[in-house]
Amino acid sequence: MELAIAQETIARWQFGVTTVYHFLFVPLSIGLGGIVAGLETAWVRTGKEKYFHATKFWGKLLLINLALGVVTGIFQEFQFGMNWSSYSRFVGDVFGAPLAMEALVAFFFESVFIGLWIFGWNRLPKKIHLATIWIVTIGSLLSAYFILAANSFMQHPVGYRIDPANGKARLTDIWRVLFQDTTLVQVFHTLTAAFITGAAFVMGISAYHLWRAKRGKDTNRKRIAAMRSSLKLALVVCTVAGILTALSGDRLAKVMFEQQPMKMAAAEALWDTQAPAPFSIFSVGDVNKGRNDVALEVPGALSFLAKSDFHSAVPGINNRADEQVKLFGGTRADYIPNIFMTYWGFRLMIFFGMTSFTIGLVGLYLTRKKFWVRPRFRTGEDEPPNLMITDKIRMNDFFTKWSWRIIALTLGFPLLANSFGWIFTEMGRQPWVVFHLMKTANAVSPNVGVGTQVGSLVALSVVYAILAVVEGGLMVKYSKPGPDVDERPPTKDPTLRMSPDDQDKPLSIAY
Amino acid sequence: MHLYDLWFILIALLWVGYFFLEGFDFGVGVLTQTMARNSTERRVLINTIAPVWDGNEVWVIAAAGATFAAFPDWYATLFSGFYIPLLIIVLCLIGRGVSFEYRAKRDSMRWQLGWEQVTFWTSVIIPFLWGLIFANMVQGIAIDRQKSYVGSPGDLFNGYAILGGFATVVLFTCHGAIFTALKTDGEMRERARKAVPVLGLASLLLVLAFLLWTQANSGNGQSLGVMIVAFAALPVALFFNQLGREGWAFVFSALTVVASFAMLFLTLFPDVMPSTLNPAWSLTVSSASSASYTLTVMTIVAAIFAPLIILYQSWTYWVFSKRIAVHHIPSGH
């Protein structure tokens, strides 16, 4: 018994560590990939060098990040079999399908076309080269979609029946698995959040360079132009994606109130049914007694979040736990997820995500141009944008200085929001691995020793930690100097077959 | 033919495709430390596979994913049973991918030499462990009534499996040398061509020993036929290599790789994981597979996307078909 508990705990830690780590790179790759594709499109359409320099600059950072995102994904696929073989046997028939589709439909695209994008700059005609980065981006979106469809099945199993002969889940309707509301809302929420992540990253680094330019530490006009366009695009992306993330988050919460009410009750530390139910801003709870000692609340707001009105009753943790005890046996405590992690995970996700969105929105207002600013205040393409309070008044130096710093310092906030979001959504589902079908404790591999597990957790953590330091260092090294503005864009469309004169020239891109 | 028979063939094809493609890029990785004489030459070798290794590697992800969907029990028994070798493979795949991407990212000599060591060792260890895993899978492992491996991790390192590991490494190195001769120019091409006969004879011996042992253990008529193809193709590859026809040499060394692994799958069928404890506990294509609805769905997906994948991946090879030589490598790094 004790051994089983240890196995489950270590397997969960390993899943948590490797998944959160993997998911640091994935959203950034998706968001940044989209921005790079957008910039290259601008370059191909307008022929302006600044877009080319920006494309190359963010492209380099994208590749550093993508490398780790891709390789850490391999373990995600393997560990279902390694640590969770009972789970794999039980749901492989259903869960395996979207996973295999991810490889065949999405991952192949990404991996093959990223090679073409990196090394194809002087080999492919411009438009075909542009198509490759779009295919990579679309591939990564599809990839996320299939993985989230698989995850949604664990959150809310549909399109299956239990085979009476062997007790295993059998797929009955692939369309329901791929297109159930949980999948669609979750995909939308996760992908829009990925775009905030990419945008905040671009905003932060562009702001750093523009602030340097503002202080006269960088006078290269081409570099300023590239960073200026990057900042503007990122501010727009951040604002739009922020609005969509908030809307889809609200929708997702409503779906969760229906499908996993315990998770949402836990997210609110709402112990007992209340009508109207208040939204908790801050609370200190006592799990043993099943109540909060300190609570700061907005009356009625939770009713609104769950049911779109200000008076409906929202059942609490204790009530939900009682229901599950009736259905599945055991004690109340068996069905209460980790309240501290779910409550704070939920809040921190919202806090970090909304902070970046707000910065994007405010930034878009402060750097506005063309529509609202009188011509005399408009800055040139190669000047750092002014920060304006109204169309007449510029921000004073003190606030300007802090505005740029805040953007630069918050570039990683969405990464935290993403991590807390996943921790919340996965821990809030406990003790179920497949909701109301299989408990996490029954999902582990029965034949893998605790020693092996500990060894692998340590080995993975060490390797992942080293790579995090390496990647962080490279990101800093490559973002600090800004775009290489001496690089000449390919002037004419290169043909696939080189002319004999070109045969002996050095490769334009080589490792 | 049942759908699960078809899926056994498809999964075999994914694995075989993986070993054919990533086989030569592992081989090139091995040559970076054994054939290249200086940093520029190592860069030439890395750049012969740089645009394509990532696409090659996806084949293993597709193979694992397809196994999960089509044969959940096979996937569960395989991945939990070979936990330690697979963990090492994953760590090596992570290190290997990163080594290509990060090697040139700093101008420091130590940094680059370090990543080159990572490229080399992971290119040796991964094929060795795949060989070891496949050998054990074909030979059978201690699987209990609940379909779980109950032997110790140490049991996996038996003589037959270790031979399988070494045979795989040497065969891939030979395949990689032929690929290098095909993809490089000048002195490197000559040197790669000269290395092929030695590597070819070594692979012939090791692969012969391993496949004959396999045939004796669990062979059948079909596997014998495919084994003969594997052996016949390698001397042909060496012959074309001597003539300087690297394209044909590559086709035949690929045939050896493909036939060798195809033979392993032929000896396995209709089992997928034989049990050494009790033949009744062996996993078979019918007992380990998903229900027919899942297999039908997956068949449709595979029928649409597999040809497409082969098409665009081949196009990548065509785009990067140019030979690379030392003078193509830009200075710096």
Side-chain angles (χ1 to χ4, degrees):
Chain A
M1 185 62 206
E2 269 175 24
L3 195 69
I5 292 172
Q7 269 189 330
E8 185 202 350
T9 310
I10 301 164
R12 279 183 63 190
W13 268 104
Q14 183 148 313
F15 197 86
V17 167
T18 52
T19 306
V20 167
Y21 189 79
H22 175 59
F23 206 70
L24 291 175
F25 306 105
V26 172
L28 184 55
S29 292
I30 293 174
L32 197 54
I35 289 174
V36 170
L39 286 166
E40 191 174 345
T41 308
W43 177 61
V44 170
R45 289 185 66 99
T46 65
K48 286 186 185 167
E49 261 196 25
K50 62 175 182 177
Y51 293 124
F52 172 76
H53 294 140
T55 305
K56 291 291 273 210
F57 175 63
W58 300 113
K60 247 180 237 159
L61 297 176
L62 171 67
L63 293 177
I64 292 171
N65 186 65
L66 197 71
L68 272 187
V70 169
V71 293
T72 53
I74 303 170
F75 185 68
Q76 295 303 101
E77 190 194 41
F78 282 21
Q79 73 176 324
F80 290 111
M82 289 165 73
N83 284 327
W84 306 96
S85 63
S86 299
Y87 166 80
S88 304
R89 289 180 208 281
F90 177 58
V91 293
D93 195 287
V94 191
F95 185 84
L99 216 66
M101 289 181 196
E102 191 257 347
L104 289 171
V105 178
F107 204 40
F108 258 114
F109 268 131
E110 245 185 301
S111 301
V112 171
F113 282 90
I114 194 67
L116 279 162
W117 189 74
I118 304 172
F119 297 93
W121 276 100
N122 288 52
R123 298 266 170 106
L124 296 171
K126 258 189 204 173
K127 283 184 180 165
I128 294 191
H129 187 262
L130 174 63
T132 63
I133 185 76
W134 278 109
I135 291 173
V136 171
T137 304
I138 292 165
S140 65
L141 292 174
L142 281 174
S143 190
Y145 170 77
F146 284 113
I147 297 301
L148 291 170
N151 178 267
S152 296
F153 173 79
M154 300 167 80
Q155 309 282 351
H156 185 237
V158 291
Y160 74 98
R161 68 183 165 80
I162 299 295
D163 190 336
N166 53 18
K168 289 182 182 179
R170 293 296 189 196
L171 185 63
T172 55
D173 188 348
I174 185 70
W175 300 111
R176 283 205 66 199
V177 174
L178 292 179
F179 296 108
Q180 65 156 320
D181 54 354
T182 324
T183 305
L184 297 179
V185 181
Q186 195 168 250
V187 166
F188 201 74
H189 188 59
T190 313
L191 291 184
T192 48
F195 278 92
I196 302 185
T197 311
F201 181 82
V202 173
M203 275 156 46
I205 293 171
S206 313
Y208 164 79
H209 285 287
L210 290 171
W211 176 231
R212 272 172 58 87
K214 202 98 191 162
R215 286 177 300 159
K217 295 204 172 175
D218 184 2
T219 51
N220 188 303
R221 300 175 64 171
K222 285 182 174 178
R223 196 150 45 226
I224 295 168
M227 286 294 99
R228 209 185 130 103
S229 302
S230 303
L231 177 70
K232 214 171 143 194
L233 176 63
L235 288 170
V236 173
V237 171
C238 185
T239 307
V240 174
I243 293 167
L244 295 176
T245 308
L247 291 176
S248 57
D250 176 61
R251 187 78 206 105
L252 184 57
K254 287 186 170 59
V255 170
M256 285 295 124
F257 270 113
E258 265 173 47
Q259 295 173 353
Q260 297 183 4
M262 174 58 98
K263 184 192 280 185
M264 296 312 291
E268 284 303 319
L270 180 75
W271 291 96
D272 297 298
T273 303
Q274 290 190 42
F279 183 93
S280 167
I281 293 172
F282 177 85
S283 79
V284 179
D286 187 333
V287 178
N288 295 327
K289 289 179 195 153
R291 63 182 173 79
N292 291 328
D293 297 330
V294 183
L296 180 65
E297 296 167 336
V298 184
L302 188 61
S303 296
F304 185 76
L305 194 64
K307 306 269 169 68
S308 304
D309 64 50
F310 287 99
H311 50 77
S312 285
V314 178
I317 297 163
N318 294 330
N319 315 72
R320 291 301 183 188
D322 288 340
E323 280 173 20
Q324 297 206 36
V325 169
K326 252 184 233 159
L327 284 172
F328 304 103
T331 62
R332 244 192 206 183
D334 294 345
Y335 297 99
I336 300 181
N338 185 323
I339 303 294
F340 180 81
M341 291 304 288
T342 42
Y343 181 87
W344 288 109
F346 187 60
R347 263 148 205 75
L348 290 170
M349 167 186 77
I350 295 174
F351 170 75
F352 285 115
M354 281 295 119
T355 304
S356 283
F357 161 61
T358 310
I359 290 170
L361 186 70
V362 172
L364 195 61
Y365 177 79
L366 292 176
T367 55
R368 69 201 183 282
K369 175 182 114 148
K370 281 185 187 163
F371 302 122
W372 304 288
V373 182
R374 287 181 187 167
R376 66 190 175 94
F377 284 112
R378 286 184 197 167
T379 49
E381 285 278 286
D382 49 5
E383 275 174 54
N386 281 325
L387 299 185
M388 314 289 295
I389 292 173
T390 69
D391 60 0
K392 287 181 189 153
I393 307 169
R394 283 167 61 166
M395 276 189 12
N396 72 29
D397 284 348
F398 179 78
F399 285 113
T400 301
K401 178 172 141 188
W402 278 100
S403 299
W404 291 114
R405 281 190 181 169
I406 285 168
I407 303 190
L409 290 174
T410 54
L411 70 86
F413 271 27
L415 295 177
L416 296 171
N418 297 329
S419 301
F420 284 120
W422 272 113
I423 289 169
F424 157 64
T425 206
E426 297 296 90
M427 290 190 72
R429 169 163 53 91
Q430 300 305 325
W432 301 102
V433 65
V434 186
F435 202 65
H436 286 185
L437 275 187
M438 183 186 223
K439 286 189 177 161
T440 313
N442 301 327
V444 290
S445 300
N447 54 331
V448 176
V450 172
T452 305
Q453 281 186 313
V454 173
S456 100
L457 177 58
V458 171
L460 280 159
S461 304
V462 169
V463 169
Y464 279 17
I466 293 170
L467 290 176
V469 173
V470 169
E471 136 122 8
L474 285 177
M475 280 287 193
V476 172
K477 176 181 148 71
Y478 278 85
S479 43
K480 262 197 168 165
D484 173 11
V485 288
D486 298 327
E487 191 174 352
R488 299 288 297 274
T491 42
K492 56 176 195 287
D493 270 0
T495 48
L496 285 175
R497 292 285 157 203
M498 309 235 161
S499 70
D501 302 344
D502 288 344
Q503 289 290 2
D504 286 337
K505 280 188 190 156
L507 296 167
S508 59
I509 308 280
Y511 274 155
Chain B
M1 191 168 81
H2 281 284
L3 270 178
Y4 47 67
D5 295 328
L6 173 70
W7 271 92
F8 179 82
I9 296 170
L10 287 175
I11 283 165
L13 284 176
L14 284 168
W15 281 108
V16 167
Y18 171 63
F19 290 125
F20 155 50
L21 290 171
E22 190 131 273
F24 68 75
D25 77 47
F26 285 135
V28 171
V30 175
L31 295 177
T32 53
Q33 294 295 320
T34 51
M35 196 190 88
R37 289 184 180 153
N38 54 44
S39 168
T40 314
E41 293 194 350
R42 283 193 287 277
R43 286 186 71 197
V44 171
L45 287 176
I46 291 172
N47 278 290
T48 60
I49 55 169
V52 295
W53 72 267
D54 200 357
N56 296 347
E57 195 178 278
V58 192
W59 284 74
V60 73
I61 293 161
T67 310
F68 198 169
F71 299 97
D73 278 314
W74 186 4
Y75 169 79
T77 307
L78 178 73
F79 280 74
S80 64
F82 295 115
Y83 195 104
I84 292 175
L86 281 166
L87 176 72
I88 300 170
I89 285 176
V90 162
L91 291 172
C92 286
L93 285 173
I94 291 173
R96 189 167 186 266
V98 172
S99 79
F100 293 132
E101 300 290 342
Y102 288 0
R103 195 204 73 96
K105 292 277 185 276
R106 275 184 196 280
D107 274 336
S108 137
M109 198 67 186
R110 263 185 61 198
W111 169 273
Q112 291 178 7
L113 290 176
W115 286 118
E116 283 165 7
Q117 289 294 325
V118 174
T119 302
F120 171 73
W121 284 107
T122 55
S123 301
V124 173
I125 294 168
I126 301 169
F128 177 82
L129 290 174
W130 281 131
L132 180 104
I133 287 172
F134 270 77
N136 275 303
M137 191 162 79
V138 171
Q139 188 183 37
I141 54 174
I143 295 172
D144 69 0
R145 192 190 297 272
Q146 277 77 38
K147 300 179 178 173
S148 288
Y149 174 64
V150 289
S152 80
D155 293 350
L156 301 175
F157 292 83
N158 52 69
Y160 170 73
I162 290 172
L163 175 64
F166 280 119
T168 309
V169 175
V170 175
L171 179 61
F172 285 178
T173 310
C174 175
H175 190 36
I178 292 175
F179 179 77
T180 305
L182 177 66
K183 280 292 295 176
T184 57
D185 220 343
E187 205 207 325
M188 294 204 72
R189 179 181 177 183
E190 289 307 311
R191 217 179 312 141
R193 266 179 53 197
K194 282 190 188 133
V196 171
V198 181
L199 288 165
L201 288 177
S203 349
L204 205 58
L205 280 176
L206 282 168
V207 174
L208 187 68
F210 176 66
L211 293 191
L212 280 177
W213 193 338
T214 310
Q215 181 67 22
N217 266 348
S218 50
N220 51 41
Q222 287 168 317
S223 68
L224 182 68
V226 176
M227 187 181 88
I228 291 169
V229 172
F231 292 138
L234 204 52
V236 180
L238 298 184
F239 172 72
F240 277 116
N241 179 69
Q242 287 311 108
L243 294 182
R245 304 288 298 271
E246 289 100 352
W248 282 108
F250 183 69
V251 168
F252 281 93
S253 77
L255 188 59
T256 299
V257 173
V258 167
S260 303
F261 283 95
M263 184 212 161
L264 297 186
F265 280 98
L266 282 171
T267 59
L268 206 51
F269 187 83
D271 283 347
V272 291
M273 293 280 276
S275 169
T276 52
L277 299 179
N278 180 347
W281 296 341
S282 295
L283 276 64
T284 65
V285 281
S286 60
S287 75
S289 82
S290 287
S292 64
Y293 177 76
T294 303
L295 295 178
T296 309
V297 169
M298 293 307 301
T299 305
I300 295 167
V301 173
I304 297 170
F305 284 93
L308 190 67
I309 291 165
I310 292 171
L311 207 68
Y312 64 68
Q313 198 163 10
S314 313
W315 180 62
T316 312
Y317 280 89
W318 185 73
V319 170
F320 299 110
S321 59
K322 199 182 129 185
R323 285 179 186 269
I324 304 174
V326 172
H327 62 268
H328 289 117
I329 297 297
S331 54
H333 299 315

